[in-house]
Amino acid sequence: MSESPIYLDHHSTTPCDPRVVEAMLPYFSDNFGNAAASTHVHGRRASSALEDARGRVAASLGCLPSEIHFTSGATESNNIALRGIALDPGAHVVTSAVEHSSIIQPLEQMARFGIEHTIVMPDSKGAVHGDTIRSAIRPSTVLVSVMAANAEFGTVEPIEEIGTACRASGVPLHTDATQAVGKIPFDLQTLPVDLASLSAHKFYGPKGIGALFIRTGTSLLSPVAGGGQEKKVRSGTVNVAGAVGLAEALAIAIAGMATESERLVALRTRLRTKLLAAIPNAVVNGPDEARLPGNLHVSFPGVDVEALVHALRRFSLSTGAACASGRREPSRALRAIGLDERVAMSSLRFGLGRCNTEEHVDQLVEDLTAAVSRLRQISV
Ligand code: PMP
Protein backbone atom coordinates (compact mmCIF):
# COMPACT_ATOMS: atom_id res chain seq x y z
CA MET A 1 0.00 0.00 0.00
CA SER A 2 1.28 3.50 -0.75
CA GLU A 3 2.23 5.78 2.13
CA SER A 4 -0.54 8.08 3.45
CA PRO A 5 -0.21 11.73 2.49
CA ILE A 6 0.62 14.29 5.19
CA TYR A 7 -2.61 15.74 6.53
CA LEU A 8 -2.79 19.54 6.22
CA ASP A 9 -6.55 20.10 6.24
CA HIS A 10 -7.37 20.50 9.95
CA HIS A 11 -10.11 23.10 9.29
CA SER A 12 -12.05 20.49 7.43
CA THR A 13 -11.85 17.88 10.17
CA THR A 14 -9.41 16.41 12.68
CA PRO A 15 -8.55 12.85 13.70
CA CYS A 16 -10.36 11.62 16.79
CA ASP A 17 -7.99 11.62 19.80
CA PRO A 18 -7.47 8.01 21.07
CA ARG A 19 -8.32 9.20 24.62
CA VAL A 20 -11.66 10.42 23.26
CA VAL A 21 -12.34 7.09 21.54
CA GLU A 22 -11.57 5.28 24.81
CA ALA A 23 -13.95 7.50 26.79
CA MET A 24 -16.72 6.83 24.25
CA LEU A 25 -16.37 3.05 23.92
CA PRO A 26 -18.47 1.99 26.94
CA TYR A 27 -21.46 3.90 25.54
CA PHE A 28 -21.82 1.83 22.38
CA SER A 29 -22.53 -1.66 23.70
CA ASP A 30 -22.29 -1.82 27.50
CA ASN A 31 -24.05 1.38 28.50
CA PHE A 32 -26.17 1.61 25.40
CA GLY A 33 -29.38 2.91 27.01
CA ASN A 34 -31.63 5.64 25.71
CA ALA A 35 -31.05 8.68 27.92
CA ALA A 36 -34.77 9.48 27.80
CA ALA A 37 -35.81 6.06 29.17
CA SER A 38 -36.02 6.89 32.86
CA THR A 39 -37.90 3.77 33.97
CA HIS A 40 -34.84 1.51 34.05
CA VAL A 41 -31.18 1.39 34.98
CA HIS A 42 -29.98 1.26 31.36
CA GLY A 43 -31.70 4.54 30.59
CA ARG A 44 -30.66 6.16 33.85
CA ARG A 45 -26.99 5.24 33.26
CA ALA A 46 -27.12 6.84 29.82
CA SER A 47 -28.86 9.90 31.22
CA SER A 48 -26.26 10.23 33.95
CA ALA A 49 -23.40 10.03 31.38
CA LEU A 50 -25.18 12.60 29.21
CA GLU A 51 -25.65 15.04 32.10
CA ASP A 52 -22.05 14.53 33.16
CA ALA A 53 -20.94 15.38 29.59
CA ARG A 54 -23.19 18.44 29.55
CA GLY A 55 -21.69 19.64 32.83
CA ARG A 56 -18.15 19.18 31.52
CA VAL A 57 -18.92 21.09 28.30
CA ALA A 58 -20.52 23.91 30.29
CA ALA A 59 -17.51 24.09 32.62
CA SER A 60 -15.17 24.22 29.57
CA LEU A 61 -17.12 27.07 27.97
CA GLY A 62 -18.05 29.10 31.07
CA CYS A 63 -21.81 28.66 30.91
CA LEU A 64 -24.57 26.74 32.73
CA PRO A 65 -25.21 23.06 31.92
CA SER A 66 -28.84 23.95 31.15
CA GLU A 67 -27.59 26.27 28.38
CA ILE A 68 -25.92 23.42 26.40
CA HIS A 69 -28.02 21.46 23.90
CA PHE A 70 -26.48 18.54 22.00
CA THR A 71 -27.09 18.47 18.24
CA SER A 72 -25.64 16.52 15.31
CA GLY A 73 -23.06 19.24 14.58
CA ALA A 74 -22.63 22.88 13.70
CA THR A 75 -24.78 22.72 10.56
CA GLU A 76 -27.77 21.66 12.64
CA SER A 77 -26.94 24.11 15.46
CA ASN A 78 -26.75 26.99 12.97
CA ASN A 79 -30.05 26.01 11.34
CA ILE A 80 -31.81 25.70 14.71
CA ALA A 81 -30.49 29.09 15.87
CA LEU A 82 -31.60 30.95 12.74
CA ARG A 83 -34.90 29.18 12.07
CA GLY A 84 -35.79 29.00 15.77
CA ILE A 85 -35.42 32.73 16.37
CA ALA A 86 -36.40 34.39 13.07
CA LEU A 87 -39.87 32.86 12.88
CA ASP A 88 -42.22 35.38 11.33
CA PRO A 89 -42.49 37.08 7.93
CA GLY A 90 -41.06 40.57 8.24
CA ALA A 91 -38.44 39.49 10.80
CA HIS A 92 -34.91 40.55 9.83
CA VAL A 93 -31.51 38.91 10.43
CA VAL A 94 -28.07 40.50 10.02
CA THR A 95 -25.17 38.31 8.99
CA SER A 96 -21.84 38.65 7.16
CA ALA A 97 -20.39 37.72 3.79
CA VAL A 98 -17.74 35.49 5.38
CA GLU A 99 -20.16 32.98 6.95
CA HIS A 100 -20.33 29.24 6.29
CA SER A 101 -23.01 27.93 3.93
CA SER A 102 -24.98 26.56 6.91
CA ILE A 103 -25.77 30.19 7.76
CA ILE A 104 -26.22 31.65 4.27
CA GLN A 105 -28.30 28.80 2.79
CA PRO A 106 -30.96 28.68 5.55
CA LEU A 107 -31.31 32.47 5.32
CA GLU A 108 -31.78 32.23 1.55
CA GLN A 109 -34.50 29.60 2.09
CA MET A 110 -36.15 31.68 4.81
CA ALA A 111 -36.27 34.68 2.45
CA ARG A 112 -38.83 32.73 0.40
CA PHE A 113 -41.13 32.89 3.44
CA GLY A 114 -40.69 36.62 3.94
CA ILE A 115 -37.91 36.51 6.54
CA GLU A 116 -35.42 39.14 5.47
CA HIS A 117 -31.68 39.35 5.91
CA THR A 118 -28.80 41.72 5.32
CA ILE A 119 -25.32 40.42 4.50
CA VAL A 120 -22.69 42.91 5.69
CA MET A 121 -19.16 43.12 4.29
CA PRO A 122 -15.93 42.50 6.22
CA ASP A 123 -12.81 44.64 5.90
CA SER A 124 -9.99 43.46 3.60
CA LYS A 125 -8.64 41.13 6.34
CA GLY A 126 -12.00 39.45 6.81
CA ALA A 127 -12.99 41.22 10.05
CA VAL A 128 -16.61 42.29 10.55
CA HIS A 129 -16.86 45.41 12.69
CA GLY A 130 -19.35 46.41 15.38
CA ASP A 131 -20.14 49.69 13.57
CA THR A 132 -21.01 47.84 10.37
CA ILE A 133 -23.34 45.55 12.31
CA ARG A 134 -24.90 48.47 14.19
CA SER A 135 -25.74 50.30 10.98
CA ALA A 136 -27.39 47.18 9.48
CA ILE A 137 -29.69 46.63 12.48
CA ARG A 138 -33.31 47.71 11.89
CA PRO A 139 -36.30 47.89 14.25
CA SER A 140 -37.37 44.50 12.79
CA THR A 141 -33.99 42.82 13.42
CA VAL A 142 -34.45 39.76 15.64
CA LEU A 143 -30.96 38.22 15.37
CA VAL A 144 -27.37 38.95 14.37
CA SER A 145 -25.18 36.00 13.35
CA VAL A 146 -21.42 36.41 12.87
CA MET A 147 -18.90 33.59 13.06
CA ALA A 148 -16.21 33.57 15.77
CA ALA A 149 -13.43 32.53 13.36
CA ASN A 150 -13.26 31.99 9.63
CA ALA A 151 -12.63 28.58 8.09
CA GLU A 152 -10.91 29.86 4.94
CA PHE A 153 -8.47 32.64 5.84
CA GLY A 154 -8.66 32.20 9.63
CA THR A 155 -9.81 35.66 10.71
CA VAL A 156 -10.75 35.75 14.38
CA GLU A 157 -13.77 38.04 14.45
CA PRO A 158 -14.10 40.82 17.06
CA ILE A 159 -17.04 39.08 18.72
CA GLU A 160 -16.83 41.20 21.85
CA GLU A 161 -17.15 44.41 19.79
CA ILE A 162 -20.01 42.93 17.72
CA GLY A 163 -21.79 41.65 20.83
CA THR A 164 -21.51 45.05 22.47
CA ALA A 165 -23.16 46.65 19.40
CA CYS A 166 -25.91 44.02 19.52
CA ARG A 167 -26.53 44.51 23.25
CA ALA A 168 -26.79 48.27 22.72
CA SER A 169 -29.51 47.61 20.12
CA GLY A 170 -31.25 44.93 22.19
CA VAL A 171 -30.70 42.25 19.50
CA PRO A 172 -29.41 38.74 20.38
CA LEU A 173 -26.10 37.62 18.87
CA HIS A 174 -25.50 34.12 17.53
CA THR A 175 -21.94 33.10 16.71
CA ASP A 176 -20.87 30.10 14.66
CA ALA A 177 -17.92 29.17 16.86
CA THR A 178 -17.11 25.96 14.96
CA GLN A 179 -13.55 26.96 14.03
CA ALA A 180 -12.84 28.80 17.28
CA VAL A 181 -13.83 26.39 20.05
CA GLY A 182 -10.89 24.33 21.30
CA LYS A 183 -8.39 26.44 19.34
CA ILE A 184 -8.62 29.94 20.81
CA PRO A 185 -10.07 31.17 24.12
CA PHE A 186 -13.87 31.20 23.97
CA ASP A 187 -15.43 32.08 27.31
CA LEU A 188 -19.19 32.46 27.42
CA GLN A 189 -19.01 33.93 30.90
CA THR A 190 -17.48 37.12 29.50
CA LEU A 191 -18.46 37.15 25.80
CA PRO A 192 -21.64 39.10 24.99
CA VAL A 193 -23.03 36.18 22.99
CA ASP A 194 -26.54 34.72 23.30
CA LEU A 195 -26.24 31.64 21.08
CA ALA A 196 -23.19 29.69 19.87
CA SER A 197 -22.69 26.66 17.61
CA LEU A 198 -19.90 24.10 17.80
CA SER A 199 -18.92 20.75 16.31
CA ALA A 200 -16.76 18.08 18.02
CA HIS A 201 -14.86 16.83 14.97
CA LYS A 202 -13.13 20.20 14.57
CA PHE A 203 -11.33 19.73 17.89
CA TYR A 204 -10.26 16.06 17.73
CA GLY A 205 -13.64 14.69 18.76
CA PRO A 206 -16.06 12.48 16.82
CA LYS A 207 -18.11 13.49 13.78
CA GLY A 208 -21.89 13.82 13.98
CA ILE A 209 -22.09 15.53 17.39
CA GLY A 210 -22.14 19.21 18.23
CA ALA A 211 -23.87 21.63 20.53
CA LEU A 212 -25.90 24.80 20.55
CA PHE A 213 -25.42 27.14 23.51
CA ILE A 214 -28.55 29.17 24.25
CA ARG A 215 -28.20 31.75 26.99
CA THR A 216 -30.88 31.60 29.70
CA GLY A 217 -33.69 33.99 28.81
CA THR A 218 -33.29 33.64 25.01
CA SER A 219 -36.49 32.21 23.57
CA LEU A 220 -36.34 29.86 20.59
CA LEU A 221 -38.89 27.60 18.86
CA SER A 222 -36.89 24.80 17.30
CA PRO A 223 -37.64 23.59 13.77
CA VAL A 224 -36.54 20.09 14.90
CA ALA A 225 -39.72 18.87 16.59
CA GLY A 226 -40.54 15.42 17.88
CA GLY A 227 -39.84 13.68 21.18
CA GLY A 228 -38.76 16.91 22.86
CA GLN A 229 -35.24 15.82 23.84
CA GLU A 230 -32.66 18.48 24.71
CA LYS A 231 -35.36 20.72 26.16
CA LYS A 232 -37.21 20.67 22.82
CA VAL A 233 -34.26 22.31 21.07
CA ARG A 234 -33.18 19.15 19.27
CA SER A 235 -35.68 16.32 19.28
CA GLY A 236 -34.27 12.87 18.55
CA THR A 237 -32.56 10.17 20.61
CA VAL A 238 -29.40 11.76 21.94
CA ASN A 239 -26.00 10.45 20.79
CA VAL A 240 -24.68 9.71 24.29
CA ALA A 241 -21.34 8.28 23.15
CA GLY A 242 -20.89 11.38 20.96
CA ALA A 243 -21.71 13.75 23.83
CA VAL A 244 -19.19 11.95 26.07
CA GLY A 245 -16.62 12.24 23.26
CA LEU A 246 -17.34 15.92 22.67
CA ALA A 247 -16.90 16.69 26.37
CA GLU A 248 -13.63 14.75 26.58
CA ALA A 249 -12.23 16.26 23.37
CA LEU A 250 -13.08 19.77 24.52
CA ALA A 251 -11.49 19.28 27.95
CA ILE A 252 -8.30 17.93 26.29
CA ALA A 253 -8.20 20.78 23.74
CA ILE A 254 -8.65 23.46 26.39
CA ALA A 255 -6.07 21.93 28.74
CA GLY A 256 -3.46 21.95 25.94
CA MET A 257 -4.58 25.10 24.14
CA ALA A 258 -1.87 27.51 25.24
CA THR A 259 1.00 25.14 24.38
CA GLU A 260 -0.53 23.85 21.15
CA SER A 261 -1.44 27.27 19.82
CA GLU A 262 2.07 28.56 20.49
CA ARG A 263 3.48 25.51 18.64
CA LEU A 264 1.11 26.02 15.70
CA VAL A 265 1.87 29.73 15.42
CA ALA A 266 5.58 28.86 15.26
CA LEU A 267 4.92 26.26 12.53
CA ARG A 268 2.71 28.71 10.64
CA THR A 269 5.37 31.42 10.85
CA ARG A 270 7.97 28.96 9.54
CA LEU A 271 5.69 28.04 6.64
CA ARG A 272 4.89 31.65 5.83
CA THR A 273 8.49 32.87 5.99
CA LYS A 274 9.96 30.01 3.95
CA LEU A 275 7.17 30.07 1.41
CA LEU A 276 7.37 33.83 0.80
CA ALA A 277 11.15 33.60 0.46
CA ALA A 278 11.01 30.70 -2.01
CA ILE A 279 8.03 31.51 -4.23
CA PRO A 280 7.93 34.80 -6.16
CA ASN A 281 4.66 36.77 -5.99
CA ALA A 282 3.00 34.53 -3.41
CA VAL A 283 0.49 36.60 -1.39
CA VAL A 284 -0.76 35.79 2.09
CA ASN A 285 -4.47 36.58 2.49
CA GLY A 286 -6.25 37.42 5.73
CA PRO A 287 -5.03 39.02 8.95
CA ASP A 288 -1.51 39.15 10.36
CA GLU A 289 -2.39 38.89 14.03
CA ALA A 290 -6.03 37.99 14.74
CA ARG A 291 -5.81 34.65 12.97
CA LEU A 292 -6.47 31.02 13.93
CA PRO A 293 -3.11 29.51 15.03
CA GLY A 294 -3.03 26.72 12.42
CA ASN A 295 -4.31 28.74 9.46
CA LEU A 296 -2.48 30.14 6.46
CA HIS A 297 -4.16 31.15 3.20
CA VAL A 298 -1.99 31.97 0.22
CA SER A 299 -2.55 33.01 -3.41
CA PHE A 300 -0.11 31.90 -6.10
CA PRO A 301 -1.00 34.18 -9.02
CA GLY A 302 -0.73 32.47 -12.40
CA VAL A 303 -1.36 29.00 -10.95
CA ASP A 304 -4.62 27.07 -11.15
CA VAL A 305 -5.24 25.85 -7.61
CA GLU A 306 -6.79 22.55 -8.64
CA ALA A 307 -3.72 21.70 -10.69
CA LEU A 308 -1.59 22.72 -7.70
CA VAL A 309 -3.49 20.48 -5.25
CA HIS A 310 -3.16 17.66 -7.76
CA ALA A 311 0.59 18.25 -8.05
CA LEU A 312 1.07 18.24 -4.27
CA ARG A 313 0.12 14.59 -3.94
CA ARG A 314 2.24 13.98 -0.86
CA PHE A 315 -0.19 16.20 1.11
CA SER A 316 -3.90 16.24 1.91
CA LEU A 317 -4.78 19.85 1.13
CA SER A 318 -7.95 21.76 0.47
CA THR A 319 -8.67 24.80 -1.63
CA GLY A 320 -10.65 25.86 1.46
CA ALA A 321 -13.90 26.60 -0.29
CA ALA A 322 -12.02 28.52 -2.99
CA CYS A 323 -14.51 26.78 -5.20
CA ALA A 324 -17.85 26.89 -3.44
CA SER A 325 -19.51 23.45 -3.34
CA GLY A 326 -17.51 22.07 -6.24
CA ARG A 327 -18.41 24.88 -8.61
CA ARG A 328 -15.55 26.53 -10.46
CA GLU A 329 -16.07 29.90 -8.87
CA PRO A 330 -14.54 31.57 -5.82
CA SER A 331 -16.37 31.52 -2.50
CA ARG A 332 -18.39 34.52 -1.35
CA ALA A 333 -15.93 35.03 1.53
CA LEU A 334 -12.88 35.29 -0.76
CA ARG A 335 -14.70 37.78 -2.97
CA ALA A 336 -15.76 39.71 0.14
CA ILE A 337 -12.13 40.30 1.19
CA GLY A 338 -11.44 41.71 -2.26
CA LEU A 339 -9.79 38.83 -4.11
CA ASP A 340 -10.61 38.99 -7.79
CA GLU A 341 -11.73 35.76 -9.42
CA ARG A 342 -8.35 34.82 -10.91
CA VAL A 343 -6.45 35.41 -7.68
CA ALA A 344 -9.10 33.59 -5.63
CA MET A 345 -8.84 30.59 -7.95
CA SER A 346 -5.09 30.49 -7.34
CA SER A 347 -5.46 30.31 -3.54
CA LEU A 348 -4.75 27.47 -1.17
CA ARG A 349 -5.65 27.00 2.50
CA PHE A 350 -3.17 25.35 4.83
CA GLY A 351 -4.64 23.87 8.01
CA LEU A 352 -1.92 22.87 10.45
CA GLY A 353 -2.81 20.71 13.44
CA ARG A 354 -1.62 18.38 16.17
CA CYS A 355 -0.01 15.84 13.87
CA ASN A 356 2.13 18.33 11.94
CA THR A 357 5.85 18.95 12.45
CA GLU A 358 8.62 21.24 11.15
CA GLU A 359 9.64 18.44 8.76
CA HIS A 360 6.17 18.50 7.21
CA VAL A 361 6.38 22.25 6.70
CA ASP A 362 9.83 22.02 5.10
CA GLN A 363 8.73 19.21 2.80
CA LEU A 364 5.66 21.21 1.83
CA VAL A 365 7.66 24.32 0.93
CA GLU A 366 9.99 22.19 -1.18
CA ASP A 367 7.14 20.54 -3.11
CA LEU A 368 5.20 23.80 -3.42
CA THR A 369 8.17 25.69 -4.83
CA ALA A 370 8.73 23.06 -7.51
CA ALA A 371 5.02 22.70 -8.36
CA VAL A 372 4.33 26.45 -8.58
CA SER A 373 7.36 27.01 -10.79
CA ARG A 374 6.39 24.13 -13.12
CA LEU A 375 2.72 25.19 -13.37
CA ARG A 376 3.68 28.79 -14.04
CA GLN A 377 5.94 27.66 -16.91
CA ILE A 378 3.12 25.61 -18.41
CA SER A 379 0.63 28.47 -18.22
CA VAL A 380 2.94 31.03 -19.90
N1 PMP B 1 -19.43 26.38 10.40
C1 PMP B 1 -18.13 26.45 10.07
C2 PMP B 1 -17.40 27.75 10.22
C3 PMP B 1 -17.46 25.32 9.58
O1 PMP B 1 -16.17 25.40 9.26
C4 PMP B 1 -18.18 24.11 9.44
C5 PMP B 1 -17.52 22.86 8.91
N2 PMP B 1 -16.75 23.02 7.77
C6 PMP B 1 -19.53 24.08 9.80
C7 PMP B 1 -20.12 25.24 10.28
C8 PMP B 1 -20.35 22.84 9.70
O2 PMP B 1 -19.94 21.89 10.63
P1 PMP B 1 -20.49 20.39 10.53
O3 PMP B 1 -20.10 19.88 9.18
O4 PMP B 1 -19.78 19.68 11.62
O5 PMP B 1 -21.96 20.42 10.70
Side-chain angles (χ1 to χ4, degrees):
M1 222 168 77
S2 65
E3 213 181 304
S4 267
I6 294 163
Y7 191 71
L8 279 173
D9 195 17
H10 288 85
H11 301 296
S12 167
T13 195
T14 57
C16 201
D17 188 307
R19 292 166 289 181
V20 172
V21 176
E22 196 170 322
M24 291 171 70
L25 281 176
Y27 299 96
F28 287 102
S29 34
D30 291 339
N31 297 331
F32 60 86
N34 184 329
S38 57
T39 55
H40 49 67
V41 166
H42 289 87
R44 287 195 294 273
R45 277 193 198 135
S47 166
S48 150
L50 180 64
E51 294 319 312
D52 180 62
R54 198 186 312 281
R56 293 185 75 197
V57 174
S60 294
L61 297 176
C63 66
L64 299 171
S66 58
E67 295 173 322
I68 294 296
H69 308 82
F70 290 108
T71 65
S72 67
T75 297
E76 191 176 43
S77 297
N78 286 345
N79 269 265
I80 293 174
L82 297 169
R83 296 176 196 271
I85 295 224
L87 296 164
D88 301 314
H92 174 247
V93 178
V94 176
T95 191
S96 87
V98 295
E99 303 300 316
H100 188 257
S101 52
S102 56
I103 295 289
I104 302 291
Q105 292 283 327
L107 287 174
E108 285 177 355
Q109 288 182 357
M110 288 155 69
R112 288 199 242 145
F113 303 97
I115 296 158
E116 298 169 1
H117 63 269
T118 300
I119 298 178
V120 302
M121 294 302 275
D123 66 19
S124 63
K125 303 290 182 192
V128 177
H129 293 287
D131 286 352
T132 318
I133 293 292
R134 194 178 288 117
S135 51
I137 289 176
R138 308 175 187 165
S140 58
T141 306
V142 294
L143 185 69
V144 170
S145 182
V146 178
M147 69 196 338
N150 185 274
E152 293 174 67
F153 32 80
T155 308
V156 175
E157 297 295 344
I159 287 299
E160 197 155 344
E161 180 190 314
I162 295 168
T164 305
C166 292
R167 290 262 155 104
S169 310
V171 177
L173 171 63
H174 166 254
T175 186
D176 174 359
T178 310
Q179 294 291 342
V181 167
K183 295 181 194 137
I184 54 171
F186 187 79
D187 181 10
L188 290 165
Q189 202 175 347
T190 52
L191 281 175
V193 161
D194 303 291
L195 302 108
S197 303
L198 54 122
S199 203
H201 71 100
K202 304 290 185 178
F203 47 87
Y204 306 86
K207 293 170 182 59
I209 184 81
L212 177 62
F213 157 78
I214 307 175
R215 195 175 290 285
T216 308
T218 309
S219 82
L220 178 148
L221 180 64
S222 178
V224 186
Q229 290 91 340
E230 297 302 279
K231 294 212 267 84
K232 297 192 177 173
V233 168
R234 199 277 186 173
S235 282
T237 303
V238 183
N239 174 359
V240 176
V244 168
L246 186 155
E248 182 70 10
L250 186 54
I252 292 171
I254 289 178
M257 187 187 287
T259 322
E260 179 62 1
S261 81
E262 199 179 316
R263 193 186 75 87
L264 289 177
V265 168
L267 278 187
R268 200 255 312 284
T269 306
R270 184 182 185 96
L271 174 58
R272 183 193 160 108
T273 310
K274 290 198 161 201
L275 184 155
L276 290 179
I279 304 177
N281 303 326
V283 182
V284 172
N285 305 307
D288 300 325
E289 295 292 328
R291 178 173 214 136
L292 286 172
N295 173 277
L296 195 66
H297 191 274
V298 186
S299 300
F300 303 96
V303 174
D304 178 78
V305 74
E306 285 192 11
L308 185 57
V309 168
H310 186 73
L312 295 168
R313 258 177 263 188
R314 291 207 285 173
F315 299 88
S316 288
L317 281 161
S318 162
T319 55
C323 335
S325 51
R327 281 175 280 137
R328 290 280 296 162
E329 60 184 62
S331 77
R332 181 196 298 268
L334 290 181
R335 280 182 273 130
I337 60 166
L339 267 60
D340 75 29
E341 183 161 345
R342 277 170 57 95
V343 175
M345 295 310 290
S346 74
S347 308
L348 203 49
R349 171 182 76 177
F350 303 102
L352 298 159
R354 276 191 207 159
C355 50
N356 296 128
T357 61
E358 288 186 350
E359 289 70 41
H360 295 166
V361 166
D362 295 351
Q363 218 171 92
L364 172 67
V365 175
E366 207 179 294
D367 288 15
L368 253 177
T369 309
V372 168
S373 157
R374 192 162 48 78
L375 291 169
R376 277 182 176 156
Q377 274 167 16
I378 295 170
S379 72
V380 171

